Amino acid sequence: MGHIRVVRWGILGGFCLAAALWLTVSQLARAQQATIEGWFHILWYDGPPGSGIKGEIYVLIDDQGQEYRLQLDLKLTEPFGGVLALNRKRVKLVVEQTPGPLGQQGSVRVLSIQLGMAGALAGIEPISGPQPWVNLLCKFSDVSAEPQPLSYFTGLMGNTYPGLDHYWREVSYNNINIVGSASQNWKTLPHDRAYYGATGSGTSANLTALFNDCTAIHDADVYFPNFVGINLMFNDLLDCCAWGGSRTATLDGVNKTYRVTWEPPWGYQNQGVMAHEMGHGWGWPHSSGAYGATYDSRWDVMSDIWNTCPPTDPTYGCVGQGTISYHKDLGAWIPSARKFVPTLNTVTTIEIDRLNQPGSSTNYLMARIPIPGSSQFYTVEARRFIGYDGKVPAEAIVIHHVDATRANDAWVVDADGNLDGACVIPADDANCDPDDAGAQWMPGETYTDAANSIQITVNSITATGFIVTITYGNPPSCTNTGAIFRIERTTGNVCADGSFNSGGADVAEYVRVSEAVEPGDVLELDPTKPGHYRKARGAYSHLVAGVVSTQPGVILGARGQSEGKVLLALIGRVPVRATTENGPIRPGDLLTSSSKPGYAMRCESAHKCEGAIIGKALEALDVGEGVILMLLMR
Ligand SMILES: [Ca+2]
Ligand SMILES: [Ca+2]
Ligand SMILES: [Ca+2]
């Protein structure tokens, strides 16, 4: 165990002076706070099948190769855009020592972060071209087993299914390959498992010592700067886990940040684990459902490998599925022309092609929908059974909610789940399964984020993808699409550039009645039954509302049950029952209610029937009762 060396906080005038100012760990206890400087790395650890063990740790590697395991509140990383943005960057940290050791190096708690010069390898960066990795096979001095021969490792990196060169070419759309990768045969480490903290549990493995010694015993045969990544393959268990991430080191006289994985036998004996750990090497985090679990999403090689596994490959065990569009986009493998980003206040229907082995060279591969007023966004992608996606849970549209300020950036959006980050069973808002029907967005289904005015509707399945309509913000209805007649799927709006032409003569609305009525009856509000109408009763009724329609041209309020309702004419021409009890009716006479229920009569002056006018007579009625045409008025 190396002692913790720190620089007294506040004294440091320049990094070049640091060597003279190192203090020992005992002095740190008195100094309380200290500043350390070096390269910030995220290291992800993954337990064997069924263990559910997972997580990530944050380390700082200083220029002497010393590793500090950091206790880091992710809130401190928010100003930088989240912890991924700091990965592999030069940082200066104000820290304080915490009482107990965490891992073999002890632990320091981060109080503040200062981002230094740009990293040698960005945490998030485009990845393209050949990405050669070297496999170093290292035996503990007290374990003689060689779980696989050298030829196995050569095949694992190969370009036939399910070799990792084949895998990464397919998943990256040929943006990358691992041509130039090499494997170095078994050599024996200078120490036994206990020395390296390889206890088979916890996070006790001394990753620094394992890295230093495994690279040292192969140093004579390998020129490390030729490689982007190093897979450290051990012949027995480490601690709980396989590890993936990165490390800054000076090898062959060159200081460089390498993508690194630390593998127990069950790691390299499953292609999917290697794909997952190399994904961490690219800088990708885990993805998951919104339930605080990590290995629950079968949509992503960076989540659940084991449940998509069967049947296993006879040689290479569990074979990984593809990865999600968020991660492919981090690698800049999705051209901007194939990434749909909606404009605020629009409705757009697009075709999204399947994410693995796309069937078209021009369709969208993903939609990225920013959540207004935040750095969060949704991704929308199409998953189909093909190639490495052959065992995803379903052929469906899959939506992720991405927040780079949390540990698992991307969470599956699950209709029968929630977004509160916890699995609470039993609870009607959380079934804790991000692979089921709730997470599979099928034709006819719509995801709605009402708070952010975002709606994603799956319209149909195509030969190689899905048609999806994305409503973003509050689009004006009937936006000009160029079509002269259209029905908007998401809103139900009917839009036409021409006029509406109908055979009917009035506009009517469905209303409830409290008694039987006939077309032509004059109706009034029923004061004894709120929300209902009845035949108008009494002359000059101020409750009059209209006339029961005979043949309406436009009907309002047609949604829902029409039982117990009649059509009340509101505007236009309509036949009405009338009586001459207030004198003969002439065309142009104002009409109001009469003493006979449901009948209209002449109104002798507008003043007298103010508030009680139904309309204007269009036909005459000389004597008695009859039906005449009337123009509705208010
Ligand atoms: Ca060398
Ligand atoms: Ca679910
Ligand atoms: Ca569904």
Side-chain angles (χ1 to χ4, degrees):
M1 183 189 302
H3 59 210
I4 294 183
R5 299 179 300 177
V6 294
V7 173
R8 190 190 297 278
W9 179 68
I11 292 179
L12 192 60
F15 304 142
C16 55
L17 299 177
L21 296 170
W22 294 117
L23 303 180
T24 66
V25 66
S26 59
Q27 289 168 303
L28 174 59
R30 273 178 270 124
Q32 294 292 318
Q33 293 188 351
T35 298
I36 54 177
E37 193 203 337
W39 300 96
F40 182 91
H41 292 276
I42 307 173
L43 296 171
W44 289 270
Y45 57 93
D46 302 287
S51 70
I53 298 170
K54 51 80 190 180
E56 61 190 68
I57 66 168
Y58 311 108
V59 302
L60 181 132
I61 308 291
D62 73 12
D63 292 336
Q64 283 68 45
Q66 174 68 49
E67 172 189 310
Y68 299 89
R69 293 200 180 185
L70 306 172
Q71 284 188 15
L72 177 61
D73 182 347
L74 291 185
K75 282 207 177 319
L76 289 176
T77 70
E78 283 178 15
F80 306 98
V83 71
L84 268 192
L86 292 175
N87 196 20
R88 301 160 183 179
K89 294 279 171 56
R90 187 84 180 177
V91 295
K92 192 157 64 155
L93 306 175
V94 177
V95 299
E96 69 178 8
Q97 191 186 18
T98 55
L102 176 72
Q104 75 287 352
Q105 283 91 0
S107 172
V108 290
R109 190 163 73 87
V110 179
L111 301 175
S112 71
I113 302 169
Q114 196 182 325
L115 191 56
M117 63 188 104
L121 181 67
I124 304 167
E125 59 167 13
I127 312 166
S128 65
Q131 303 287 317
W133 289 63
V134 61
N135 295 333
L136 305 181
L137 280 49
C138 292
K139 299 200 284 188
F140 294 106
S141 65
D142 56 339
V143 181
S144 61
E146 295 182 359
Q148 293 291 348
L150 182 65
S151 58
Y152 171 89
F153 294 91
T154 307
L156 178 63
M157 306 304 271
N159 63 7
T160 55
Y161 177 93
L164 288 160
D165 186 55
H166 183 267
Y167 176 85
W168 287 115
R169 284 172 190 265
E170 178 171 316
V171 170
S172 75
Y173 314 120
N174 277 315
N175 277 286
I176 68 166
N177 58 68
I178 58 168
V179 166
S181 293
S183 299
Q184 293 295 322
N185 212 346
W186 294 105
K187 287 198 169 180
T188 304
L189 294 163
H191 301 288
D192 61 9
R193 288 183 69 217
Y195 172 87
Y196 296 107
T199 60
S201 67
T203 55
S204 59
N206 187 332
L207 302 176
T208 296
L210 288 167
F211 178 91
N212 289 344
D213 287 357
C214 189
T215 53
I217 59 175
H218 288 288
D219 188 29
D221 303 318
V222 177
Y223 184 68
F224 287 101
N226 282 346
F227 298 95
V228 303
I230 304 170
N231 290 317
L232 305 169
M233 310 293 208
F234 298 98
N235 68 337
D236 204 342
L237 296 180
L238 304 175
D239 44 18
C240 65
C241 289
W243 293 76
S246 51
R247 190 164 197 96
T248 308
T250 300
L251 294 169
D252 291 311
V254 178
N255 186 258
K256 176 173 168 174
T257 295
Y258 291 92
R259 312 180 190 280
V260 182
T261 81
W262 289 256
E263 304 293 341
W266 60 258
Y268 50 76
Q269 286 170 345
N270 289 286
Q271 182 264 19
V273 176
M274 289 309 303
H276 179 111
E277 300 302 337
M278 288 170 80
H280 289 319
W282 307 137
W284 299 344
H286 290 124
S287 75
S288 65
Y291 310 120
T294 287
Y295 301 127
D296 59 354
S297 169
R298 290 162 56 197
W299 306 105
D300 189 6
V301 76
M302 299 311 295
S303 184
D304 180 0
I305 301 157
W306 308 118
N307 288 307
T308 42
C309 175
T312 57
D313 184 85
T315 307
Y316 296 106
C318 287
V319 174
Q321 67 275 54
T323 193
I324 59 176
S325 58
Y326 171 59
H327 297 149
K328 294 190 183 200
D329 198 28
L330 289 180
W333 297 341
I334 296 180
S336 57
R338 305 188 68 183
K339 178 166 59 174
F340 175 74
V341 181
T343 304
L344 201 59
N345 300 328
T346 57
V347 181
T348 316
T349 296
I350 57 171
E351 179 165 3
I352 301 182
D353 219 69
R354 63 193 180 209
L355 193 59
N356 203 47
Q357 287 191 20
S360 134
S361 59
T362 52
N363 282 344
Y364 290 113
L365 292 171
M366 68 179 294
R368 179 184 163 127
I369 307 172
I371 294 176
S374 81
S375 61
Q376 301 170 14
F377 55 91
Y378 291 103
T379 61
V380 184
E381 65 198 31
R383 305 301 287 270
R384 301 288 289 265
F385 298 138
I386 190 164
Y388 290 101
D389 265 5
K391 290 185 283 184
V392 293
E395 301 207 307
I397 284 289
V398 180
I399 304 170
H400 284 82
H401 176 267
V402 181
D403 177 355
T405 65
R406 66 189 170 212
N408 293 2
D409 294 20
W411 284 355
V412 177
V413 172
D414 185 3
D416 52 14
N418 61 8
L419 275 183
D420 63 11
C423 182
V424 183
I425 294 180
D428 57 8
D429 72 339
N431 78 351
C432 306
D433 182 355
D435 305 315
D436 63 6
Q440 301 163 9
W441 297 91
M442 297 296 193
E445 295 184 324
T446 295
Y447 169 66
T448 301
D449 174 349
N452 293 302
S453 302
I454 293 169
Q455 219 171 43
I456 302 160
T457 296
V458 184
N459 302 322
S460 58
I461 191 163
T462 66
T464 60
F466 289 87
I467 304 289
V468 173
T469 295
I470 295 170
T471 304
Y472 188 47
N474 298 293
S477 59
C478 292
T479 38
N480 191 358
T481 62
I484 57 172
F485 175 80
R486 56 209 172 268
I487 300 169
E488 294 180 352
R489 282 178 185 273
T490 51
T491 60
N493 287 337
V494 177
C495 310
D497 292 357
S499 310
F500 181 74
N501 296 277
S502 165
D506 66 276
V507 175
E509 180 179 19
Y510 272 110
V511 297
R512 289 191 182 283
V513 287
S514 49
E515 64 183 336
V517 300
E518 299 282 329
D521 280 347
V522 177
L523 297 191
E524 66 178 11
L525 301 173
D526 184 347
T528 68
K529 203 167 181 191
H532 288 66
Y533 294 79
R534 65 180 186 188
K535 288 178 193 171
R537 292 157 163 71
Y540 308 106
S541 168
H542 284 90
L543 297 172
V544 287
V547 175
V548 178
S549 177
T550 304
Q551 190 193 1
V554 175
I555 298 172
L556 308 178
R559 202 166 175 201
Q561 292 242 343
S562 59
E563 206 174 312
K565 293 180 179 175
V566 299
L567 286 163
L568 177 68
L570 303 170
I571 310 170
R573 289 174 299 136
V574 64
V576 63
R577 293 179 202 282
T579 163
T580 54
E581 74 173 50
N582 203 25
I585 298 171
R586 300 284 167 233
D589 280 352
L590 294 174
L591 299 179
T592 183
S593 60
S594 71
S595 61
K596 178 162 184 170
Y599 280 67
M601 67 175 190
R602 170 177 170 270
C603 167
E604 60 273 32
S605 78
H607 175 70
K608 185 159 185 188
C609 18
E610 195 178 334
I613 293 172
I614 312 165
K616 191 174 277 189
L618 295 173
E619 294 176 337
L621 181 65
D622 294 330
V623 64
E625 295 169 0
V627 175
I628 61 169
L629 204 57
M630 179 187 78
L631 179 65
L632 285 154
M633 292 174 64
R634 285 286 181 283

